[in-house]
Structures are given as structure tokens and as C-alpha cells.
């Protein structure tokens, strides 16, 4: 199943959850009014209430750490999680090599379906970007090219709580773990997991109360069965809003974990637009590289495309998604963590890519949320 716009499914799932009447909450938005009231709800009703709480207060500060076998991504952003998501903050990527210098955090901004990442500080990147500081990634334009279709999306996915709440609602084993203090806040801890077989279960929507769009979120997150298990935990405070969320994504080739902390719910998010005079278009750079590779192939019979560690041609890797050094490829897009099991050496030029909860992902990265990612990465917060 091709990945859908990550926000549409999550938002529709939230709308569907708000129509359920399984719990009797008196607030106008159907959210808990006290810790005692939250504690009295079943796990399923509490997750539905949390979905409504996020819909009523769709913005927060988010700290995310995504860990794959070969890389770690750390994001610090302020984001909105409604039908018009925005995001502003930084992303940093580090390799699994403890002796390696940690990458500097990259400023990033997202609004109106366009993501900007400040990558002009690297001399090689600056050369490809004609000296401009910001890389512009129009996610709609990128979706039209299989080489760029997934880049960037999982950074959003990993900051939003909507995906995790949808997957918890679909979990057969969703349950209350107990009452716990988390980051100094009194919370109720819930846990659940979906398995690879849930990706193609035709009854998952009816079984869990999800709409078909919510079921599609589950299928996409499980990469149609390639992810063997995706386990989520969430800690909810008295008003039903998440304080923290963790996940573990397991595949046949490795696993990825994520820790996401939420604070300052309802905070204002003001994204400053980047003028075209200061940004280079990622899609245009990729197309130039594709044209140059094709011209080289037509002239010599040997395509001059960078290859991955397996020897197969690789598309521009997501930030941090390593590829074998060689002919400079199109700049790596800032993505979320890529799936485990595809370790490779950083490409030239290389941009950090993070792990994403969405299982083995498409071109340029694998995902345990990169961007699959999840993220896939993540996304979810967002």
C-alpha cells in the first residue's frame, strides 16, 4: 500500500474517535476533567479521550530520540498536529560510532506542505545549493518522484502523537499498566502492540472502532506486514494529553526505538517563511543529478550513480541514511530515522537521516519512523 498523506489518516481517525460514546465525559470536548476520572476509564476509552484531547489542543513542544542500530536522531521542535501541521526547531543525527563527532543540530521549518532544512553550512552541500543556506523540500512535488517520495514526511510523523494513539486503539492487547509519576507529572500508563498480521486484517476497523482511514494508518505503519511488531506505550496526564510516548518497532532485520516527550500543550507555533532567494529546491537538484546520470549512461554505457553498500544504485539518501562514498549524489534529504539493517557509509555529500517507525522503507533508507520512520522520522510527533 502506498504511503498516504500521514496527517489525513490520523486526523480522520481522531474525528472518528470523537464520535464514539463508550465513555461518559462531561467536558464539551469529551476529555477527562480530573485524574480520578481518567483513572476510571478503560484503556480503550482513555485512548479515545486522549485523541480528542490532542484534537482540542493540537500543539506542543516535542523532544524526540529515535535509535536504530547504526544511528540516533534527536529532534527538538514546537509543532501543531491539526489538519495544517507546522513545525519549527532542530534535528541532530549521530552515528553508532562512539568515536565519531556528533552532528550539529540542523534548523528545520515546516508549513504549507513544504519543509526547509538549513544545510548550507557544509561546503559540499553549499556547492550543490549554489551557496544558499536552506534546502527546500515540497512534499507534494517530491511525492511525484519515487526517488524522493518519502523524504521529510516522517520528521512530521515522529513528532505527532496521533499515529501512536491510532495504533494503540488498534492493539488487541491494549491495557492499563498503572499509575506512575513521569517527568514529575502524575500519569496513567497504557501499553499495547500491533503485529504484522494486523496490516491486512479486513476486520481491524470494525474490531477496534477505527474508520477505514485509521485502519490504513495501521497498515502503513506495519509496512503491510514487513514490521513484525510495533509496540507503543503512552503516559497520559489528568486532562488526557500525552506526557510521553515510547515505541519499539521490530522487523526481521533489526529494530528501532523511540522516546517522545511532550510539554507546553497549546503553545503558539509561528513558522517564519524562507524566501526563494535563500533556498535551493531539493527536487530540482535531484532531477539534475538524474539527468547527469542518464547522460553519462547514454554516453558510456555505465551509469555514474552512487551505489549503496549492496552495490545497487541508490537514490539521494535521507539525512543520515548512509551510502557508499563516490560520485557526489543529490543532497540527502533530512529524514527521520531509517530502518535498521541497511548500514552503509555516509554519501558525499551527506545529510543526517534519522530512524523512522514504519518498517523497511523505500528508496534511500530503511525504516524501523526513516523517513519509514515513522515516520515514518516519526510523524509523530509529531
Amino acid at each position: 500500500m502506498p504511503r498516504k498523506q500521514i496527517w489525513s489518516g490520523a486526523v480522520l481517525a481522531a474525528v472518528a474517535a470523537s464520535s464514539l460514546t463508550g465513555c461518559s465525559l462531561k467536558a464539551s470536548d469529551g476529555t477527562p476533567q480530573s485524574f480520578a476520572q481518567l483513572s476510571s476509564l478503560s484503556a480503550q476509552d482513555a485512548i479515545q479521550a486522549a485523541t480528542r484531547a490532542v484534537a482540542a489542543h493540537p500543539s506542543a513542544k516535542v523532544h524526540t530520540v529515535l535509535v536504530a542500530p547504526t544511528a540516533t536522531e534527536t529532534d527538538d521542535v514546537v509543532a501543531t498536529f491539526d489538519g495544517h501541521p507546522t513545525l519549527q526547531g532542530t534535528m541532530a543525527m549521530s552515528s553508532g560510532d562512539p568515536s565519531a563527532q556528533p552532528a550539529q543540530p540542523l534548523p528545520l521549518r515546516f508549513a504549507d506542505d513544504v519543509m526547509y532544512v538549513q544545510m548550507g553550512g557544509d561546503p559540499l552541500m553549499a556547492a550543490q545549493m549554489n551557496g544558499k543556506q536552506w534546502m527546500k523540500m515540497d512534499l507534494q512535488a517530491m511525492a511525484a518522484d519515487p526517488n524522493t517520495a518519502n523524504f521529510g514526511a516522517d520528521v512530521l510523523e515522529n513528532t505527532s502523537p496521533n499515529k501512536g494513539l491510532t495504533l494503540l486503539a488498534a492493539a488487541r492487547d491494549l491495557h492499563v499498566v498503572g499509575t506512575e509519576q513521569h517527568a514529575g507529572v502524575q500519569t496513567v500508563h497504557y501499553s499495547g502492540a500491533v503485529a504484522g498480521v494486523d496490516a491486512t486484517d479486513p476486520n481491524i476497523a470494525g474490531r477496534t472502532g477505527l474508520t477505514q482511514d485509521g485502519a490504513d494508518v495501521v497498515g502503513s505503519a506495519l509496512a503491510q506486514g514487513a514490521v513484525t511488531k510495533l509496540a507503543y506505550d503512552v503516559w497520559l496526564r489528568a486532562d488526557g494529553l500525552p506526557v510521553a510516548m515510547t515505541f519499539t518497532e521490530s522487523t526481521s532485520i533489526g529494530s528501532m526505538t523511540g522516546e517522545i516527550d511532550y510539554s507546553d500543550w497549546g503553545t503558539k507555533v509561528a513558522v517564519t517563511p524562507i524566501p526563494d532567494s535563500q533556498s535551493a529546491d531539493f527536487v530540482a537538484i535531484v532531477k539534475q543529478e538524474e539527468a547527469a546520470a542518464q547522460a553519462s549512461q547514454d554516453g558510456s554505457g555505465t551509469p555514474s550513480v552512487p551505489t549503496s553498500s549492496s552495490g545497487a544504485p541508490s537514490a539521494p539518501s535521507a539525512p543520515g541514511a548512509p551510502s557508499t562514498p563516490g560520485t557526489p549524489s543529490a543532497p540527502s534529504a533530512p529524514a527521520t530515522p531509517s530502518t535498521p539493517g541497511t548500514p552503509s557509509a555516509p554519501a558525499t555529500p551527506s545529510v543526517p537521516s534519522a530512524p523512522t517507525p514504519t518498517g523497511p522503507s523505500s528508496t534511500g533508507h530503511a525504516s524501523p519512523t526513516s523517513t519509514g520512520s515513522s515516520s515514518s522520522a516519526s510523524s509523530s510527533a509529531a
Side-chain angles (χ1 to χ4, degrees):
M1 174 192 303
R3 293 189 61 178
K4 303 179 63 175
Q5 284 292 332
I6 58 177
W7 293 97
S8 60
V11 171
L12 288 172
V15 172
S18 68
S19 68
L20 300 175
T21 57
C23 51
S24 55
L25 301 176
K26 296 181 180 178
S28 60
D29 57 7
T31 58
Q33 295 302 286
S34 69
F35 191 79
Q37 188 179 49
L38 173 68
S39 302
S40 71
L41 299 177
S42 69
Q44 188 71 44
D45 287 344
I47 296 304
Q48 293 169 9
T51 302
R52 291 192 291 270
V54 171
H57 308 279
S59 64
K61 292 181 180 178
V62 190
H63 173 73
T64 306
V65 179
L66 303 168
V67 181
T70 59
T72 298
E73 176 185 329
T74 303
D75 301 328
D76 283 287
V77 302
V78 57
T80 55
F81 315 122
D82 57 15
H84 302 283
T86 57
L87 177 151
Q88 186 158 287
T90 62
M91 174 182 70
M93 192 60 193
S94 59
S95 71
D97 181 359
S99 65
Q101 284 288 99
Q104 291 298 310
L106 295 175
L108 68 158
R109 301 177 188 179
F110 177 87
D112 299 325
D113 237 11
V114 178
M115 181 171 288
Y116 295 90
V117 184
Q118 191 171 14
M119 299 193 275
D122 182 289
L124 289 173
M125 292 302 299
Q128 291 202 10
M129 295 166 63
N130 294 320
K132 295 180 178 180
Q133 288 297 303
W134 294 85
M135 182 70 77
K136 174 183 178 180
M137 292 177 290
D138 185 322
L139 299 193
Q140 289 189 344
M142 290 164 65
D145 187 330
N147 285 337
T148 60
N150 288 328
F151 291 150
D154 287 326
V155 173
L156 302 173
E157 189 175 70
N158 288 332
T159 60
S160 171
N162 289 328
K163 175 182 173 181
L165 293 173
T166 299
L167 292 170
L168 280 167
R172 298 172 187 265
D173 64 344
L174 175 62
H175 62 282
V176 179
V177 177
T179 301
E180 300 175 5
Q181 286 284 321
H182 199 288
V185 179
Q186 189 179 27
T187 68
V188 181
H189 176 187
Y190 305 87
S191 183
V194 288
V197 293
D198 291 320
T200 53
D201 181 353
N203 300 315
I204 193 168
R207 171 167 60 80
T208 63
L210 295 179
T211 63
Q212 186 56 52
D213 284 279
D216 288 347
V217 170
V218 176
S220 177
L222 291 168
Q224 296 309 295
V227 175
T228 55
K229 183 178 180 181
L230 189 46
Y232 269 86
D233 288 75
V234 65
W235 288 259
L236 302 180
R237 68 189 198 187
D239 58 3
L241 288 168
V243 171
M245 187 176 287
T246 66
F247 70 83
T248 300
E249 181 181 280
S250 304
T251 73
S252 60
I253 56 174
S255 64
M256 188 186 82
T257 62
E259 297 182 8
I260 309 157
D261 296 306
Y262 299 95
S263 63
D264 296 299
W265 282 95
T267 191
K268 299 289 185 183
V269 183
V271 177
T272 307
I274 304 295
D276 289 345
S277 61
Q278 297 177 25
S279 64
D281 187 272
F282 180 69
V283 173
I285 293 175
V286 171
K287 289 188 180 301
Q288 290 172 2
E289 294 294 328
E290 290 172 343
Q294 185 61 50
S296 175
Q297 183 177 17
D298 293 343
S300 66
T302 305
S304 65
V305 237
T307 57
S308 67
S309 55
S310 64
S314 72
S317 48
S323 64
T324 313
T327 308
S329 59
S332 298
T336 48
S338 38
T339 359
T342 53
S344 41
T348 308
S350 133
V351 185
S353 110
T356 304
T358 48
S361 169
S362 63
T363 313
H365 57 276
S367 154
T369 218
S370 158
T371 110
S373 290
S374 313
S375 323
S376 15
S378 222
S379 133
S380 92

